[in-house]
């Protein structure tokens, strides 16, 4: 039987094998899994209320130990959940568990100035607003007008009234802006979220795309450095498992001596399968039936 790894394009197969050796097959198998997960919106509801709504509609939910607001739905899909009144009322947001990690690690506080550098469609932005109880000033950048409209729609539905949307490329923000905390969920190849059973989905990851993504990531990170206050926190994340987009992008900041990587609370990693990572404090999530492949690191500006 042909292995899942060998079904991937040669470029991606070689990249995973070079970086992860025997674990590459496990990653490829994880990329075949499909899941449905949601995040309870604390601005409008709570886990017990959302669980009750889903149970009444015939859905079976499963809590994830790393985050009390994360619920897996084993007997439903995104389209069926979108028909629920609880969804249209903004009681929950459909979001992969891995994508919930960056906002948690940013540790936003009420009264702070926050920046989400690549905000659409708004999953992490609305999570930040919920974590702060709408009591932090959040600036959300999205350079594409249509995606910015989708962002505004989701912010309104979720009741995230503390967010200002800028239809701008975050790389073009003036350096006089200043933020206590910055979330950079950078554009990437999506190597951790593709469907390994769909040849077209994986075929888009090419050397040209990888180079384009790393160039953009580095430019965004350099801008984040200029906008972050001393003592501030920056979370850099991608939905990729490739070294070039993750550790290699962050290493220059750490080597400069102006940043330190912050350890992650072990409770926030409970139940998460991790891949080897060359930055000890960073996390690279292995794709499984519950989590997509993901990288995140929290940095503090000295």
């Amino acid at each position: 039987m042909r292995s899942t790894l060998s079904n991937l394009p040669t470029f991606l197969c070689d990249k995973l094998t070079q970086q992860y050796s025997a674990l590459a097959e496990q990653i490829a198998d994880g990329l075949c899994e499909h899941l449905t997960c949601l995040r309870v919106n604390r601005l409008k509801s709570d886990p017990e209320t959302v669980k009750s709504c889903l149970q009444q509609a015939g859905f079976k939910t499963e809590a994830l130990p790393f985050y009390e607001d994360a619920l897996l739905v084993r007997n439903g899909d995104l389209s069926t959940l979108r028909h629920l009144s609880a969804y249209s009322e903004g009681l929950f947001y459909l979001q992969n568990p891995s994508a919930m990690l960056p906002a948690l690690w940013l540790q936003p506080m009420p009264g702070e100035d926050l920046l989400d550098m690549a905000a659409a469609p708004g999953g992490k932005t609305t999570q930040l607003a919920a974590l702060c109880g709408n009591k932090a000033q959040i600036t959300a950048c999205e350079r594409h007008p249509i995606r910015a409209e989708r962002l505004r729609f989701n912010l309104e539905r979720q009741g995230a009234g503390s967010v200002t949307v800028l239809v701008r490329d975050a790389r073009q923000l003036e350096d006089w802006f200043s933020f206590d905390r910055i979330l950079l969920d950078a554009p990437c190849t999506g190597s951790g979220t593709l469907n390994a059973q769909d040849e077209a989905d994986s075929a888009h990851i090419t050397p040209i795309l990888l180079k384009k993504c790393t160039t953009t990531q580095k430019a965004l990170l350099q801008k984040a450095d200029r906008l972050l206050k001393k003592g501030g926190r920056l979370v850099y994340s991608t939905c990729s498992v490739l070294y070039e987009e993750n550790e290699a992008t962050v290493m220059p900041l750490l080597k400069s001596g102006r940043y330190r990587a912050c350890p992650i609370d072990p409770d926030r990693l409970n139940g998460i399968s991790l891949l080897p990572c060359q930055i000890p404090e960073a996390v690279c999530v292995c794709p499984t039936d519950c989590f997509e492949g993901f990288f995140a690191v929290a940095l503090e500006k000295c």
Side-chain angles (χ1 to χ4, degrees):
M1 180 181 294
R2 186 176 173 86
S3 72
T4 305
L5 182 62
S6 61
N7 285 337
L8 296 175
T10 301
F11 172 71
L12 182 57
C13 179
D14 290 346
K15 279 290 180 186
L16 293 176
T17 302
Q18 290 166 9
Q19 184 174 343
Y20 294 108
S21 302
L23 289 175
E25 191 71 56
Q26 179 182 336
I27 294 170
D29 289 341
L31 292 172
C32 293
E33 301 289 347
H34 302 281
L35 57 95
T36 302
C37 187
L38 59 87
R39 173 178 51 78
V40 176
N41 178 18
R42 291 280 184 163
L43 294 175
K44 290 190 172 184
S45 190
D46 58 78
E48 291 307 316
T49 299
V50 172
K51 286 179 187 177
S52 177
C53 291
L54 293 172
Q55 288 169 359
Q56 291 176 19
F59 294 100
K60 297 179 181 179
T61 61
E62 177 184 334
L64 291 172
F66 84 99
Y67 186 27
E68 59 274 14
D69 291 348
L71 296 177
L72 279 178
V73 182
R74 291 292 189 184
N75 64 330
D77 55 30
L78 299 179
S79 61
T80 55
L81 287 170
R82 288 191 180 104
H83 285 92
L84 297 178
S85 59
Y87 172 75
S88 59
E89 293 167 7
L91 303 191
F92 63 84
Y93 189 95
L94 296 172
Q95 189 175 23
N96 186 273
S98 297
M100 302 178 196
L101 297 173
L104 290 174
W105 295 349
L106 193 64
Q107 299 177 356
M109 301 293 290
E112 292 184 326
D113 290 311
L114 313 178
L115 173 63
D116 188 345
M117 296 186 75
K124 299 173 185 67
T125 317
T126 55
Q127 187 183 3
L128 288 173
L131 289 170
C132 295
N134 260 342
K135 295 180 180 179
Q137 295 75 47
I138 303 174
T139 300
C141 287
E142 174 49 54
R143 66 190 182 114
H144 296 289
I146 294 177
R147 285 173 57 83
E149 282 306 307
R150 182 63 183 173
L151 170 61
R152 289 192 180 100
F153 175 82
N154 283 327
L155 292 170
E156 182 176 357
R157 171 180 276 178
Q158 297 286 300
S162 59
V163 181
T164 299
V165 175
L166 295 183
V167 186
R168 294 186 64 183
D169 187 326
R171 290 172 291 184
Q172 304 306 319
L173 287 177
E174 292 82 0
D175 287 347
W176 51 258
F177 278 98
S178 182
F179 298 94
D180 299 292
R181 299 176 194 261
I182 296 177
L183 174 58
L184 172 51
D185 185 50
C188 68
T189 60
S191 65
T193 60
L194 62 86
N195 182 354
Q197 296 175 318
D198 184 345
E199 291 185 9
D201 194 23
S202 56
H204 79 280
I205 300 181
T206 64
I208 294 175
L209 177 63
L210 180 57
K211 183 177 181 180
K212 180 180 178 181
C213 287
T214 55
T215 299
T216 300
Q217 291 155 3
K218 291 171 184 176
L220 284 165
L221 200 55
Q222 290 168 1
K223 173 58 71 170
D225 177 31
R226 293 195 290 271
L227 299 177
L228 186 65
K229 296 177 182 178
K230 291 182 179 180
R233 176 174 284 227
L234 163 67
V235 169
Y236 174 84
S237 62
T238 72
C239 54
S240 176
V241 294
L242 299 181
Y243 169 81
E244 291 90 340
E245 300 184 85
N246 299 333
E247 296 101 315
T249 300
V250 175
M251 286 286 196
L253 275 186
L254 293 173
K255 290 181 178 179
S256 73
R258 294 181 295 107
Y259 284 83
R260 71 176 187 90
C262 305
I264 301 303
D265 181 353
D267 289 341
R268 290 303 189 193
L269 301 175
N270 194 359
I272 302 177
S273 178
L274 301 179
L275 292 168
C277 186
Q278 294 193 27
I279 299 175
E281 298 85 358
V283 167
C284 195
V285 179
C286 183
T288 65
D289 63 338
C290 293
F291 291 86
E292 291 180 338
F294 208 85
F295 173 88
V297 62
L299 305 172
E300 184 178 280
K301 193 171 188 177
C302 301

